[in-house]
Every structure is written in C-alpha cells, then in structure tokens.
Amino acid sequence: MPSARRLWDRYRSASPITIALLALVLGLVVGAVIIIATTPAILNAWRGTFHSWGAPGHALKVTFDNVGAAYRSIFTGSIVDPPQFWHSVTTGRGWTASLTPLSETLTYAVPLVIASIAVGITFQTGLFNIGANGQAILGGIAGVAVATLVHLPMALHLPLTLLAGIAGGVVGGAIPGLLKAYTGAHEVIVTLMFNYVASYFMLFTLLSTPLQLPNQTNAISRTMPGGTQLAPLFGTSSGLRVNYGIVVALAVTLFAIWLLDRSSIGFEFRMTGANPHAARASGINARRTLVISFLISGGLAGLAGVAWVAGTTHYIDQNFLQGSAGIGFTAITVALLGRNRPIGIVWGSLLFAALEVGGSNMQANTGIPYDLATVIQSAIVIFVATPVLVKEIFRLRALRAESVKVATAGWGS
Amino acid sequence: MRLELRGITKKFGSLTANDHIDLIVEPGQIHCLLGENGAGKSTLMNVLFGLLQADEGEILIDGEPVRLANSGDAVRRGIGMVHQHFMLVPVFSVAENVVLGFEPTRSLDRLDYARARENIRSVSREFGLEVDPDATVESLPIGLQQRVEIIKALSHDAQLLILDEPTAVLTPQEADALMAIMRSLAASGKSILFISHKLKEVRQVSDVITVIRSGRVIGSVPPTASENELAAMMVGREVSLVVQKSAATPREPVLEVRDLVVRDDRGLAVVDGVSLEVHAGEIVALAGVQGNGQTELVEAITGLRHVESGSVVLAGRDITNHSPREILDAGLGHIPEDRQRDGVVLSMSVADNMVLNTPRRAPFARHGTRNLRAVRDHAETLVESFDVRTSSVEAPLSSLSGGNQQKVIVARELSRPLEVLVASQPTRGLDVGSIEYVHREIVRVRDDGHAVLIVSSELDEVMALGDRVAVMFQGRITGIVDPSTSREDVGLLMAGSAPAGTR
C-alpha cells in the first residue's frame, strides 16, 4: 500500500508537530505510570498476584479501569462528555452541562494564549521574560483601577480598561528592558524578582488604596462595573463562562503573526534573537530592539491579566495569579511547547488549559490529585524540549545525522 | 607506521561525505590530502582519529585491521592529530598542556612536573622543537603554540601525525619553519598526513598528493604536478589561478583613515595610530598575520568598535564613531571576516539574508510592514545574477555551502548603493572555484569606480588582488608597497622588520 508507506515516511521524518503529538503521548504514559504507582487499589490488586493464580488478569483490569477512569474524566471534564452531549442533542436539554467543559477550557486558554505570546515574542528576540506573571498582575491592577475608579460611557470604558491593562504591563516590561539596555542588568534576574514586587504591590493596592472594596479589611478589590467586563459570549443567562476575551486572544494572535512574520520590527527581533552579532553588524540598534520587545511583551502580559479579570472574576483579591494560578509562569512552558510561534502557542494553550480544567474534574471524580495534570504538562514540555529522546523512543529517523549535516554545511570540512 | 585505509565510506543522512576512500601512507612519508572545503577531508580525518565511525571500510595499521572507537584508541595506536584550531588551555603552561589528560603523577596523585618537563625536553631534543616548558601558552606566538601541539602528539609516541590545515594561521616564515619540522619528522621515520587546500605549500613539502573531491579519491600525483593540474583535479574543471585585472586608475580618496587608535576588549591599543587612504578605482590590500589589529581596524571603520582617537572619513563625511546603521547608509559595503557570526543569520532564509541590512528600505518594507514579495523577487534576481546554488530563496541559509553563503553576502553588499567595499578574509574557507568568483567580483567593484579595502592573511590573495599592499604589524602599518614586491620582503614587514628599500 503506497499511501500507508507515505504516511509512515511522513511519521518517520519527525516534523515539530509529530514531535509535539508524540510528546503528548509520552506525557500521558508518564502520568499513567504515576497513577499506577500511587493508587492503593491498583497496588493492592498487584500485591494479590502473589497469592493466587487468577489474579494477574484481575490486576490488569484494575489498572486499566483506574488509569482509564482518570484520563476519561480529564477528557470529559475539559472537552465533552459524549453521553451528556448525546442527551442534549436528542432531547434539546442540558446544553449548559454539555458545553461547560469546552467553555471552561476556552476560558482558561484566553489569558494563557495572550501571556504565552508575550513570552514568545521576547524568546524570539533572544530574551527571557520570566516576569510575565508580574506584568499580568500589574495589568490586572491597572485595569481594575480604571474600571472601578473612573466613570465613563461604556463604549469608551471597556477599551480604556483594556488599554490600562496594557499600560500596566508596559510599565512592568519597561523596567527590566531599560535596565538591561542601559546597565546590562540580566533580564532573567530582574523579571524574576519583579514578580514578587508586583505581588506585594498588589497587596498594597488591595489594602491601602481606594481600589479596596469599601468597608472591607480583607485584600479584595471593588468589582468591575458591567460595562467594563468582557461579557459571556452566549449571555449571562447561558451559564457558560466563555467570554469575549476570546476575541481579544484572537486579535492578539493575529497581531503576533503580523509582528513576527510580516513587520520590520519583528524581523529585527528575530534577527537579534537568532544572531545578535549579525544584527549589530547589519545596523540594528540592539538597545532599541530589546526595549521595544520588552514593551510589547509586557503590554501583552498586562492585557492577559486584565482579560482574565474582566472575563471571569471581575475583581481581584490576594490570590490573583498566585501559586498554581500563575498563568505568567505556565506561559513560559506554553511558549516553549509552541516553539514561540503564535499558532503553535494557541494549540499549546488549548492543551494546557484542557489539562488544567480536566485535572480538576479528575480529582473530583476519581480522587487522583489535580497535581497529576501538572505532572503531565511538565512531562510533555520535557519531551518537547528533548526531541532526540522522543525520536529514539519512537524510532524516528535519527536527528543526529541531520544536525551533523547542518554543521558540515558550513566551514570546517 | 604504514597506514592503509580501505573503502572508507561515511554517510550523513543522504549526504555521502566519504565514498569508498582508499589511501596508503608509507612510513616516513609526507602524504598530502588536497581538496576543496566540503570535499570530505575533515570527515576522513575524524574517522581516522576515532572521532567518527565509518559506515563501511577498514583501517589497517602496519597491515593489521584496527577498530578506533574513540580518539583515545587512536592515540594508543600511535596516531596524533594537530587540529586547525588548537586544543590548548591558554592559561596553562606548555608542560601542563602537553601532559593534560595523561598526567604523570607521584604518590597521592600529585602531579609530577619534573617528569612532565623532562618529557618535553627529550621530545624537543629529539626532533629539534625548541620551546620553554614553563611558558604559558597564551604568551607564545601562534607558530610556537602549534609546536606545542606537535610536541603533545609526539610525547604520546605518535607514529603518524595528522596536520589539519596547519599553515592557515602562520606567517610565511612560520610556515617555512613548519615545513622544515615536517621534513625532519619524516626523516626520522614518522608518517605525516597533511591536509590543505593551498597548492603552493602542498607541492613544496609533500611526497605524494592525493586529491579528493565530493568524498571520492580523484587520484594520487607526485608533487611535480603543476598547480593548474592540481586545481583542476580539486574543482573538476579548469580554473584560473591568476586574478585577471587591468591596471588601476585611482581617483579621489574615498576612505580616509587618520591616526586611528582603537582598543580591544582588554583595553590594549591594538590599532595604534593607523593612517590609510583608499582611492576610488583602486584595491588596497591589507596584509598581516592574524591578530595584529586588522580585525579591530575594520570593526572601527564599520562602526562596530569604539574609536579612541583619530578619524574615519567616508566620501568626505566624518563617520568616526557613527552607528553601523549610519555608516552602512553612507555607502559602506562590508564583507565581514567571520561571516557566519557577523554576516548572515543561518536559520533565516536566503531571501531574508539578502535584505539583512536593508529590511526597512523601500520596496522591501512600507510603514513597518515588510513586502515579502519584493524581498523574494529581489533575492531571486540576485541568486540568478550571482549564481548562488540554493534549492530556493526560501531555503534556510544553513543549507548552503560556505562558498554559496559567501556569495549571498557578496550579492547583498554589491546590490546596495556603494562608495567603498571593505572585505575581510573574503575567500577564507572557500574552494578554488568560489575564490575565483569572489576575486572577479571584487575587481569588478573596483572597475566600476569604487574604492575597495581587502583584509587578508593569505599572502597570495593580497599580492594578486591589491593595487597597493599595506602591511600591518602590532597595530601599525609597517609599510605600503607595490604588489610586485617580493614575498620575502612582505613577509619581513609582516614580522615587523623593514626590509631594505621600503619606507
């Protein structure tokens, strides 16, 4: 069969997309191993094989049941529950329950797409923005401040709220950018530490400024008025949280495609990232490029922060983007997963959001901790970052010969 | 040692770097492996030194088949290699470098320096390779550093020495000294495998010359073969080894460098009061052993390095310490010395590399948006007229050979409005065919009435291309001579001493 042959060849030639899909498979395998090693029911069943002959079959069944249940609930919790969906299709009822998983995944994906693109842009410039989370926090604060403390007609108020979010992030990006350009301070250190500055600055604004909800002692902000919120896509009565933030994320994706693939400044970003020496010799002002890259990145990270608040909670408290909710940190891995390309980042964000949302469902249904989703995410990123390993495992055409070929195409031979 | 390679084949994916190579090196023979870049010389040497494993074929030492799984195996079998880029630790002493990896120790693992020094002295005595065992390597001139590499190989009792392009970094005098060493080593029974693409020296020192092209042995010839014959074997067609050019008709000065002082990264004045004029319609070739300030001089002219004092004037405009952008826009074309570092972005397409320093200029971009069609059309025109061999203009530059990468740079620089062309080592690492091409283009730029400054450490190139030859030594111009001056006299200037009859 020639077509099967071609498909096989294509599989063996190992494109980045193949690698990403295989990394997903391997990530799930790692997750399965961890489920097996940590679920008492499975371990007990295998322990039973020491006592009776018929037990291995039983133990295998228990294993598959448990792992299957876990992964099934990740799927049904994040994408669709087929029986429930079929019920909606046949009876026309229960659509909210049928669509909630997908709605939740998309809701989580929105800020992740924006923040990951923010990080990806600096990566393409050869810079590390580890501070997207802090910039997103600043964006959230600025957005909530403009939304709650300024009174404007709606047509102006929402755009201004989003712009304020961008501005907040720009400030957060400008500081490491300027410090690196003019003093040589390493952006990894500065951006990393600035996450803490942003978090504590947030506590300050929530406790000691007019942003705090009146008559409150807790760290909680006023609520954004309706006109400044990113409204649910299907109306408030739909019960689905997915909101117009999707439009914002889409716009950011299109902007990033233009920026990186079509704009002059994006060309200079990529040149600087790929070969700073050649960039300099070609007359590119390295300082200017790195500052602009950081301003754009910070601005988008800020937009991610405000899009999250305006689309979901509508207020911020001390837990805003803290701990496992720190999308700015997840964004670093998503950017890596998507190879810093906007389209790749969109797919990566959807995957990570699905694992995130599905993980909660898994914990609720099977008792397997939500953290397993994080483990799977991490494993996927590790596999994506080590394509040689993936190719070795799946017996793909050797990468090494390829890289040698590239190396010998140059000098030295 | 008698070395025999039988049917060595090495493939990288679809590329066959070595295709059934047979080669015999007799004891006491200087055997030269001659070939263009990319012909497969380095691959073959890496196979022989155990750094790569052959897919087919066998290696026989004194008639006995051997398996060399790594370089340690090769060293134990008596094979020593002197790499083109020295594998020495600059801050260590000569003795420390020589024993590195095979350190003699006394009890309790203490290094036995006395024995290390004694080893070196005995090797030095035996082969006449004088060097102070206690000198730090970085304080030695390049020629002596190379000697340390040779001593290192000999101290491991090497019977076969592989020398990979050993003369690339030497002055003519140092190269002559090396040839003498090679002859004396051969006389004492060592076999030498000498890799080069320089026809002159190959004929001077070899007993047998084996030419390889595209991974295959083309043939073995005695050193009496003519240069044209060897070049034709290397390239596969007749090539012109002489640069065809008419007499220069210099006009007004275009590039004027006055009393330039430039410091390197360590703060030393590596360009120390250089004055130089390049006129429209002439080629000034700057000769000198690498590391005598030529690199920094060019960096200062192109705006990549701060000028401490003095001035650079381009077409009547003072461009001293202006940004690279302004200098490029003022009409300076630059073919950088390290082209993969400064001249191209390997991961980007051929088309993008063609507009690397003009991405914002019309018609390649308007209002900050690139016109990819214009970029592609531009690249297709240049690929066509400069005969760049590439599968498409969208192919990444890394997929091109070194010569074609250089053509991309030449095409790009010559397609901009130009006042002066500054070309550093324009043919380094290129094969004979590409060298011929680049030389022709450079002469064409001159004939179009532009000023050209060439910087090269290849004396042949300097003498063939230059209408005037300036020699640089330790940051100063030691002489500006006519290209008809003898090689010996230029060599003396390169070493810092003025021969009689020059200024």
Side-chain angles (χ1 to χ4, degrees), chain B residues 19-31:
Chain B
D19 190 357
H20 295 94
I21 292 212
D22 299 316
L23 189 74
I24 297 175
V25 186
E26 301 288 351
Q29 189 183 55
I30 299 178
H31 195 125

Side-chain angles (χ1 to χ4, degrees), chain B residues 436-448:
Chain B
E436 188 188 10
Y437 176 84
V438 170
H439 282 172
R440 236 184 10 242
E441 285 301 322
I442 287 172
V443 172
R444 191 174 65 77
V445 171
R446 179 200 76 169
D447 291 344
D448 287 351

Side-chain angles (χ1 to χ4, degrees), chain B residues 14-48:
Chain B
S14 58
L15 179 109
T16 307
N18 288 159
D19 190 357
H20 295 94
I21 292 212
D22 299 316
L23 189 74
I24 297 175
V25 186
E26 301 288 351
Q29 189 183 55
I30 299 178
H31 195 125
C32 176
L33 205 56
L34 182 69
E36 295 189 305
N37 287 284
K41 295 174 304 207
S42 290
T43 303
L44 187 64
M45 289 311 102
N46 287 334
V47 167
L48 180 52

Side-chain angles (χ1 to χ4, degrees), chain B residues 348-352 354 376 379-380 383-384 388-400 408:
Chain B
M348 286 186 169
S349 68
V350 172
D352 281 348
M354 289 286 194
R376 200 162 45 236
E380 267 158 12
V383 161
E384 174 84 29
V388 180
R389 306 288 167 81
T390 174
S391 55
S392 97
V393 297
E394 302 297 337
L397 200 82
S398 57
S399 66
L400 273 59
V408 168

Side-chain angles (χ1 to χ4, degrees), chain A residues 47-322:
Chain A
R47 224 166 265 140
T49 57
F50 291 111
H51 308 299
S52 83
W53 285 110
H58 169 69
L60 266 181
K61 183 177 178 315
V62 172
T63 306
F64 277 107
D65 283 353
N66 275 279
V67 174
Y71 284 164
R72 199 158 42 243
S73 51
I74 287 183
F75 182 83
T76 59
S78 64
I79 298 171
V80 70
D81 183 1
Q84 169 68 36
F85 191 77
W86 183 244
H87 169 76
S88 299
V89 171
T90 48
T91 65
R93 281 202 300 271
W95 276 110
T96 300
S98 294
L99 295 176
T100 294
L102 206 54
S103 155
E104 283 300 293
T105 297
L106 291 173
T107 306
Y108 274 98
V110 164
L112 205 48
V113 167
I114 304 172
S116 307
I117 284 176
V119 175
I121 287 170
T122 47
F123 273 143
Q124 290 257 17
T125 321
L127 299 165
F128 292 82
N129 182 5
I130 312 297
N133 208 57
Q135 291 144 18
I137 290 174
L138 294 181
I141 297 169
V144 172
V146 167
T148 58
L149 303 177
V150 181
H151 299 281
L152 284 169
M154 177 182 167
L156 277 177
H157 209 171
L158 175 59
L160 217 62
T161 300
L162 296 179
L163 277 178
I166 293 175
V170 163
V171 170
I175 294 166
L178 292 171
L179 280 177
K180 183 175 175 81
Y182 290 96
T183 72
H186 202 292
E187 81 275 12
V188 169
I189 310 292
V190 178
T191 52
L192 189 66
M193 299 319 281
F194 234 79
N195 289 315
Y196 296 100
V197 176
S199 292
Y200 288 111
F201 177 70
M202 175 176 76
L203 280 184
F204 163 75
T205 59
L206 293 181
L207 289 168
S208 316
T209 68
L211 201 64
Q212 187 180 25
L213 192 60
N215 309 319
Q216 270 283 341
T217 52
N218 294 338
I220 186 164
S221 78
R222 297 166 185 258
T223 301
M224 298 168 77
T228 63
Q229 299 173 4
L230 289 166
L233 214 49
F234 302 107
T236 326
S237 56
S238 70
L240 298 172
R241 285 211 298 170
V242 59
N243 57 71
Y244 279 96
I246 276 199
V247 178
V248 177
L250 201 69
V252 168
T253 307
L254 292 176
F255 167 73
I257 291 174
W258 170 80
L259 180 76
L260 290 173
D261 292 346
R262 295 301 303 271
S263 77
S264 300
I265 186 76
F267 183 67
E268 293 174 0
F269 286 174
R270 288 188 288 124
M271 249 176 95
T272 308
N275 185 348
H277 301 290
R280 184 159 168 264
S282 300
I284 288 175
N285 184 334
R287 272 185 190 167
R288 178 172 165 272
T289 309
L290 91 85
V291 171
I292 294 178
S293 179
F294 253 112
L295 293 182
I296 294 178
S297 178
L300 290 180
L303 183 59
V306 72
W308 177 243
V309 194
T312 57
T313 57
H314 310 134
Y315 67 90
I316 56 181
D317 61 18
Q318 62 199 1
N319 296 321
F320 178 59
L321 301 185
Q322 301 297 306

Side-chain angles (χ1 to χ4, degrees), chain B residues 130-356:
Chain B
E130 283 311 317
V131 58
D132 173 12
D134 294 318
T136 48
V137 160
E138 62 184 351
S139 72
L140 297 176
I142 299 289
L144 281 185
Q145 292 190 17
Q146 189 171 54
R147 196 170 286 189
V148 175
E149 282 273 20
I150 296 174
I151 292 174
K152 187 172 176 177
L154 293 174
S155 75
H156 297 144
D157 205 23
Q159 295 304 315
L160 173 82
L161 264 186
I162 305 172
L163 301 173
D164 189 2
E165 307 251 357
T167 57
V169 289
L170 303 181
T171 62
Q173 279 81 1
E174 283 174 323
D176 286 343
L178 175 69
M179 306 268 167
I181 291 171
M182 286 167 67
R183 280 197 207 91
S184 87
L185 288 174
S188 70
K190 309 274 183 199
S191 313
I192 293 175
L193 198 47
F194 170 51
I195 303 172
S196 181
H197 62 257
K198 293 190 194 168
L199 304 171
K200 265 199 187 65
E201 63 187 33
V202 160
R203 294 181 58 235
Q204 213 178 322
V205 76
S206 308
D207 297 319
V208 182
I209 300 167
T210 297
V211 181
I212 66 173
R213 184 172 81 226
S214 320
R216 289 198 192 89
V217 171
I218 298 304
S220 286
V221 292
T224 48
S226 76
E227 284 188 28
N228 281 321
E229 226 173 296
L230 290 173
M233 283 173 80
M234 260 168 90
V235 184
R237 62 179 168 83
E238 289 298 322
V239 286
S240 150
L241 292 173
V242 191
V243 179
Q244 306 287 345
K245 65 177 177 124
S246 52
T249 49
R251 300 197 309 272
E252 77 286 355
V254 173
L255 180 69
E256 296 160 88
V257 177
R258 293 258 168 278
D259 304 319
L260 205 67
V261 176
V262 182
R263 293 185 185 281
D264 69 1
D265 299 333
R266 295 168 298 173
L268 304 175
V270 285
V271 175
D272 196 5
V274 164
S275 295
L276 191 65
E277 269 188 6
V278 187
H279 298 251
E282 77 165 345
I283 299 175
V284 172
L286 190 61
V289 179
Q290 261 184 292
N292 276 291
Q294 305 97 311
T295 305
E296 289 79 6
L297 174 62
V298 169
E299 285 178 342
I301 292 173
T302 51
L304 295 173
R305 189 171 281 277
H306 182 77
V307 173
E308 175 103 352
S309 65
S311 67
V312 182
V313 175
L314 173 59
R317 243 181 84 191
D318 191 333
I319 55 162
T320 318
N321 284 330
H322 281 215
S323 73
R325 173 84 275 148
E326 291 167 307
I327 294 174
L328 290 169
D329 288 344
L332 181 129
H334 183 205
I335 299 174
E337 173 181 334
D338 187 340
R339 57 183 155 249
Q340 293 201 334
R341 177 174 177 265
D342 295 322
V344 294
V345 179
L346 288 172
S347 57
M348 286 186 169
S349 68
V350 172
D352 281 348
N353 273 286
M354 289 286 194
V355 295
L356 215 54

Side-chain angles (χ1 to χ4, degrees), chain B residues 394-417:
Chain B
E394 302 297 337
L397 200 82
S398 57
S399 66
L400 273 59
S401 71
N404 281 298
Q405 291 179 5
Q406 185 75 334
K407 280 186 185 174
V408 168
I409 297 176
V410 171
R412 179 183 72 215
E413 296 307 309
L414 300 191
S415 66
R416 294 189 294 127

